[in-house]
Amino acid sequence: MVSFIHMADVHLDAPLISLSAVYEQRQYDFRQTMQRVRDLVIAKQADFWLIAGDLLEYYGGTRTTALFLQELFASVEPAVVCIAPGNHDPWMAGSFYLTLEWPANVIIFTPEWGVYEFPEKSCVIYGWGFPHAHVHDSPLADFPGKLPDYRHHIMLLHGSVQTGAEPEHHPYAPLPLAALVQTEMDYVALGHIHKPIQYNHPARGGVFAAYPGTPEGLTAKETGERSVLYGQLSDSGELRLEPIPVQTRQIRRLELELGGVETTEKLIQLVEEQLREHSPADLLYVQLTGERAAHLNPPLELLYERCKSFFYIHFEDHTWPDVDEEQFIAEGSLLGRWLRRLRALEADSEDRRKREIAQLARREALKRIGGNLR
Ligand SMILES: [Mn+2]
């Protein structure tokens, strides 16, 4: 049996747009998550710690974080740490992969396919790394083939699996699913896609390739529990794969419908009730939605002040003021003429972006009008 912990896309030292106020703490979170993964490698006595790229940002990655990794990796010995550089941490001049001396139990794959044999485990690990950020050809075209005389074959790779259903037209390191199948691996440990995806083998059935997703939410979209994959390959070649949550904090998105709320006090009450079930340690993205009373402009600054106990909270006002536009337009007042022009602008906009801007302007107008209604 061989076992592994497979992770990808932790993106250490990445710029965190919109999180500048908590940047240092958040970076510490990401490193703590790495420590949690390290603890898992040790607790499971995994043979391999597979890291499928986008580990430490090439641009912005710091020496101190690289040294943190160096120490972390040394601490899992005799487990072997395997890294396949991705588009955010390519194997190129100036990378810490080349400038630092890594512990003896660390393998870093390069733009030339690497094949590492572990005879005592009857296992071979194959891998490839990005030479620079913009690779748009399949690295599988140069795959040297699988070695004979070994029981287990594992591939580590950063790239975009292509099943034919992907919307992306110019993917990074495209990996046609059929070509992946042809490599005859027992398992392909993938990185690049930030959500977990598993691929079944078309002939054998069962999972043979997977993306673990990010271990710590990087963008507001990466909500909920974030995991690494614990894998066991039995001597008969059967794969058991188990996601294990490792995140330090969870990102949560919630919608708050403001219909029927007419006073700031009611609004605060509603917000506080809804937030009660969430941990103050999480990152919350709250969208205020629905058609709301025209005279109540959501007082966001006040909400932020009231929600200070949360590690990070972001409010976005998507409500629509319930001003009777028709009536204003029919009256022909100055405000009515303003609304009519904004509506015409919206209707005449050719592309989506212009239409959205016109709509935002109309919403802003309604806010001003609504705020002054008696
Ligand atoms: Mn990537």
Side-chain angles (χ1 to χ4, degrees):
M1 203 264 285
V2 295
S3 64
F4 56 82
I5 295 288
H6 167 200
M7 67 167 289
D9 300 284
V10 68
H11 288 268
L12 296 173
D13 288 344
L16 301 172
I17 299 154
S18 86
L19 290 179
S20 52
V22 290
Y23 183 80
E24 287 178 11
Q25 176 65 54
R26 199 62 190 128
Q27 285 302 334
Y28 184 61
D29 292 346
F30 281 79
R31 292 193 299 277
Q32 280 199 309
T33 300
M34 280 304 287
Q35 264 165 344
R36 210 165 291 121
V37 180
R38 186 275 310 266
D39 293 347
L40 257 182
V41 172
I42 293 172
K44 298 288 187 190
Q45 295 184 292
D47 298 307
F48 301 101
W49 181 356
L50 306 175
I51 303 176
D54 288 359
L55 168 64
L56 172 61
E57 293 286 311
Y58 180 85
Y59 295 105
T62 59
R63 183 175 179 85
T64 178
T65 306
L67 294 175
F68 159 83
L69 288 175
Q70 200 183 37
E71 217 170 283
L72 202 67
F73 293 159
S75 72
V76 298
E77 236 212 310
V80 178
V81 181
C82 305
I83 303 167
N87 54 316
H88 281 260
D89 58 346
W91 173 275
M92 62 187 233
S95 162
F96 292 113
Y97 292 146
L98 286 88
T99 61
L100 275 193
E101 199 172 310
W102 293 89
N105 64 324
V106 176
I107 292 170
I108 303 173
F109 287 105
T110 75
E112 295 227 340
W113 275 94
V115 177
Y116 288 82
E117 300 168 56
F118 299 89
E120 70 287 359
K121 302 183 207 296
S122 192
C123 182
V124 188
I125 309 272
Y126 308 81
W128 173 89
F130 274 65
H132 50 79
H134 305 287
V135 172
H136 295 288
D137 296 318
S138 173
L140 293 174
D142 304 318
F143 178 59
K146 122 178 162 170
L147 292 185
D149 309 325
Y150 281 92
R151 189 174 287 148
H152 306 296
H153 302 268
I154 297 174
M155 183 183 284
L156 182 61
L157 205 50
H158 192 87
S160 317
V161 170
Q162 304 290 296
T163 61
E166 289 73 20
E168 207 183 349
H169 294 303
H170 204 47
Y172 285 90
L175 310 170
L177 192 62
L180 268 189
V181 170
Q182 273 171 20
T183 63
E184 299 184 311
M185 293 294 111
D186 296 299
Y187 183 61
V188 184
L190 297 162
H192 186 54
I193 306 296
H194 285 193
K195 65 175 183 195
I197 309 177
Q198 301 193 348
Y199 298 93
N200 286 327
H201 194 283
R204 289 202 309 255
V207 177
F208 88 108
Y211 290 104
T214 47
E216 183 74 31
L218 195 66
T219 70
K221 285 186 219 159
E222 297 163 31
T223 56
E225 288 188 331
R226 314 301 305 173
S227 301
V228 297
L229 293 166
Y230 171 47
Q232 292 164 288
L233 263 174
S234 77
D235 285 348
S236 57
E238 256 170 62
L239 175 69
R240 276 192 50 191
L241 210 54
E242 177 195 351
I244 301 181
V246 292
Q247 79 285 335
T248 300
R249 298 174 198 277
Q250 297 199 31
I251 293 171
R252 301 193 177 274
R253 290 155 77 103
L254 54 147
E255 284 191 12
L256 267 179
E257 158 79 56
L258 293 199
V261 178
E262 297 212 62
T263 63
T264 300
E265 283 59 34
K266 279 259 167 59
L267 174 59
I268 290 175
Q269 196 188 342
L270 176 77
V271 168
E272 288 182 348
E273 262 169 32
Q274 293 286 321
L275 296 186
R276 202 162 293 151
E277 60 189 83
H278 294 281
S279 159
D282 291 343
L283 288 88
L284 294 180
Y285 291 83
V286 185
Q287 263 194 23
L288 307 177
T289 63
E291 203 178 63
R292 51 115 175 132
H295 45 268
L296 178 72
N297 278 325
L300 297 189
E301 279 180 30
L302 181 60
L303 290 180
Y304 281 117
E305 190 59 32
R306 301 285 307 184
C307 295
K308 268 188 171 164
S309 58
F310 284 92
F311 170 73
Y312 176 83
I313 191 159
H314 181 74
F315 287 100
E316 240 174 55
D317 181 9
H318 289 240
T319 58
W320 193 263
D322 66 350
V323 173
D324 189 345
E325 289 183 58
E326 302 303 335
Q327 195 201 323
F328 269 96
I329 291 171
E331 280 169 6
S333 64
L334 183 65
L335 293 176
R337 297 213 302 277
W338 186 24
L339 279 180
R340 189 202 297 272
R341 284 203 63 169
L342 287 170
R343 273 194 177 189
L345 197 66
E346 198 176 318
D348 296 345
S349 300
E350 276 150 31
D351 62 83
R352 196 174 57 107
R353 206 180 128 66
K354 280 192 182 146
R355 205 157 43 241
E356 280 171 2
I357 291 171
Q359 200 182 57
L360 270 179
R362 185 159 62 93
R363 181 166 163 271
E364 199 55 36
L366 292 171
K367 260 171 90 166
R368 303 294 166 91
I369 295 169
N372 291 306
L373 284 182
R374 286 176 180 268

